[in-house]
Amino acid sequence: MSLQSRPGAEISALTVRVARAGTPRGTTAMWIRDGLDGLFSEEDFTAWYPRDGRPGLSSAQPATVCVPQYALNLSDRQAAEAVRCRIDIKYALGLELEGPGFHHSMLSDFRDRLTEGDRADRLLGLALTRIRRAGLLKCD
């Protein structure tokens, strides 16, 4: 599987309208998208995947899905279902409302790649740096 550019760099106007109509104050997933312009980008994962081969799905998407998955204590199947059904998560990922999401096994594959070397530590450090820069976390 090769790395592909991130679909959802921009959120469709329809997804924004529907998400804002349903939750005008937003949700945690929407705040992550709004405050950080998405937590992760494809450039964060360039060393994880080969440049050739069968096109793969966005790496930033499972990384981003892992945040609400952990916060909401969801199984992989439940998290994949949330991507298909929850408008705020589609918003956070920049997906079209009718987007099919992905198979739940993609999350375990992502976590397998995350365990290699110091990837988890680097990704966590990157996330914390971005969250601090956005003013969402203050450290003394």
Side-chain angles (χ1 to χ4, degrees):
M1 188 178 314
S2 64
L3 183 69
Q4 299 298 305
S5 63
R6 179 175 171 226
E10 287 190 32
I11 308 169
S12 78
L14 179 59
T15 301
V16 172
R17 271 195 323 274
V18 172
R20 292 287 173 211
T23 53
R25 295 177 59 192
T27 66
T28 302
M30 293 167 69
W31 298 333
I32 288 171
R33 176 62 187 229
D34 292 341
L36 301 169
D37 191 25
L39 187 53
F40 301 107
S41 69
E42 287 311 317
E43 292 75 32
D44 301 329
F45 304 94
T46 54
W48 294 31
Y49 296 89
R51 289 264 177 229
D52 57 354
R54 184 172 55 94
L57 297 171
S58 165
S59 301
Q61 288 181 348
T64 302
V65 169
C66 286
V67 176
Q69 179 183 14
Y70 176 80
L72 300 170
N73 195 28
L74 302 175
S75 69
D76 287 351
R77 286 181 190 271
Q78 291 169 324
E81 183 178 335
V83 170
R84 286 189 297 279
C85 300
R86 287 190 53 170
I87 295 168
D88 62 329
I89 294 180
K90 286 185 179 286
Y91 178 101
L93 297 175
L95 297 176
E96 297 289 336
L97 291 178
E98 63 274 355
F102 49 77
H103 193 268
H104 66 87
S105 63
M106 183 179 167
L107 292 169
S108 65
D109 177 58
F110 173 77
R111 284 192 304 275
D112 287 345
R113 290 181 187 270
L114 188 61
T115 62
E116 295 176 19
D118 65 345
R119 289 177 175 173
D121 291 335
R122 286 188 291 141
L123 200 57
L124 177 60
L126 182 60
L128 290 173
T129 298
R130 290 179 178 161
I131 290 167
R132 278 190 204 112
R133 281 190 198 144
L136 300 173
L137 176 68
K138 300 208 188 292
C139 296
D140 294 330

